[in-house]
């Protein structure tokens, strides 16, 4: 019966039918193709990354999420930043965070509260180094965002504190943004009334300051550790 039916169809109709079938099959095959695998970026920081005094949607971490989406980079951002966090607190929390999220990348934005409380720079050094090692053992690449103390903490202390970040970065061979607040610290209107936390106006500048180095790491660019990307 089917043979009789097809003998009475016009040849052009049969060709069109076969072409339509092929197109539909091809569309189905493409729809079944796996999407790009999503990586996880964990940000472990203090109040600066927790958007202290701001709507969380205004913070640089949310702006980072927006930029990743705009550029269609398959990266999930987990913000584990807490106001008041110290390097010791971050070190205590990190094992659980690594176990829970299995991040591919870790951004460490810690140490500011260590400095404000006058903690020994040596302790900050040891805590940062230990966090880098733990992250690597868990399979994550690390980017460190450095901090500096205001001059009223004394020349000796501010110098020793600032030296911690490049020393850890060199010893552990990880990329570093030497001073996270460099582009906003002295800009009028960029800091809140406490003189410590950036305003909403400053958040895009924070992201832009970190982005070249972070982008290189996320895209597995071998230049990620070059001075042009990861130092000021």
């Amino acid at each position: 019966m089917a043979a009789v039916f097809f003998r009475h169809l016009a040849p052009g109709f049969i060709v069109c039918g076969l072409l339509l079938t092929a197109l539909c099959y091809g569309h189905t095959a493409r729809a079944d193709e796996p999407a790009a695998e999503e990586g996880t970026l964990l940000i472990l920081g203090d109040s600066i990354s927790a958007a202290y005094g701001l709507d969380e949607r205004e913070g640089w971490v949310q702006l980072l999420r927006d930029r990743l989406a705009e550029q269609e980079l398959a990266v999930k951002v987990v913000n584990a930043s807490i106001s008041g966090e110290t390097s010791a607190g971050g070190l205590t929390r990190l094992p659980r965070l690594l176990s829970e999220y299995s991040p591919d990348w870790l951004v460490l934005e810690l140490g500011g509260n260590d400095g404000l409380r006058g903690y020994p720079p040596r302790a900050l050094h040891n805590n940062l180094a230990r966090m880098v090692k733990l992250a690597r053992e868990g399979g994550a690449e690390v980017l460190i965002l450095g901090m500096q103390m205001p001059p009223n903490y004394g020349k000796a202390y501010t110098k020793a504190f600032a030296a911690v970040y490049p020393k850890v970065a060199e010893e552990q061979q990880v990329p570093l943004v030497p001073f996270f607040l460099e582009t906003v610290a002295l800009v009028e209107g960029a800091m809140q009334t406490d003189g410590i936390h950036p305003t909403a106006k400053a958040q895009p500048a924070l992201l832009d300051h970190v982005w070249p180095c972070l982008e290189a790491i996320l895209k597995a660019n071998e230049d990620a550790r070059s001075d042009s990307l990861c130092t000021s």
Side-chain angles (χ1 to χ4, degrees):
M1 181 67 178
V4 173
F5 175 77
F6 278 109
R7 278 201 303 270
H8 285 82
L9 289 177
F13 184 88
I14 296 175
V15 171
C16 289
L18 292 174
L19 178 59
L20 181 60
T21 301
L23 288 173
C24 290
Y25 178 81
H27 177 74
T28 302
R30 286 193 297 272
D32 291 340
E33 290 177 358
E37 186 175 351
E38 185 178 61
T40 299
L41 168 62
L42 175 65
I43 298 178
L44 182 55
D46 51 33
S47 54
I48 294 176
S49 294
Y52 175 86
L54 309 174
D55 186 313
E56 185 178 351
R57 293 170 294 182
E58 298 176 312
W60 80 270
V61 176
Q62 182 56 50
L63 297 182
L64 170 61
R65 291 191 181 103
D66 296 341
R67 182 169 296 185
L68 292 170
E70 290 169 0
Q71 298 198 11
E72 298 183 344
L73 293 176
V75 178
K76 174 185 177 182
V77 179
V78 175
N79 191 1
S81 303
I82 297 176
S83 293
E85 185 67 289
T86 63
S87 63
L91 177 57
T92 298
R93 291 197 294 131
L94 184 56
R96 179 187 62 80
L97 292 169
L98 293 174
S99 176
E100 182 174 355
Y101 297 107
S102 300
D104 301 279
W105 308 278
L106 170 67
V107 172
L108 286 176
E109 184 272 298
L110 289 171
N113 288 307
D114 295 57
L116 293 175
R117 299 174 188 182
Y119 291 169
R122 183 64 185 174
L124 172 60
H125 173 282
N126 292 342
N127 292 336
L128 289 174
R130 182 58 182 152
M131 282 188 278
V132 171
K133 292 177 181 177
L134 285 173
R136 281 180 162 167
E137 290 170 3
E141 295 184 63
V142 182
L143 169 62
I144 298 177
L145 306 185
M147 295 299 296
Q148 294 182 14
M149 289 294 102
N152 60 299
Y153 277 73
K155 185 175 181 179
Y157 185 81
T158 56
K159 182 178 180 180
F161 182 91
V164 167
Y165 295 94
K167 187 174 183 180
V168 172
E170 181 179 3
E171 291 173 348
Q172 302 300 323
Q173 288 296 288
V174 295
L176 165 72
V177 174
F179 183 26
F180 184 32
L181 301 182
E182 180 177 6
T183 58
V184 303
L186 300 178
V187 177
E188 184 178 355
M191 303 301 289
Q192 297 181 39
T193 55
D194 59 15
I196 297 174
H197 299 96
T199 60
K201 171 186 174 181
Q203 299 301 310
L206 290 179
L207 174 58
D208 289 341
H209 188 45
V210 172
W211 178 251
C213 189
L214 183 55
E215 179 186 29
I217 295 169
L218 295 176
K219 293 183 177 180
N221 189 325
E222 291 301 322
D223 292 331
R225 296 189 181 120
S226 74
D227 288 349
S228 63
L229 291 175
C230 297
T231 64
S232 301

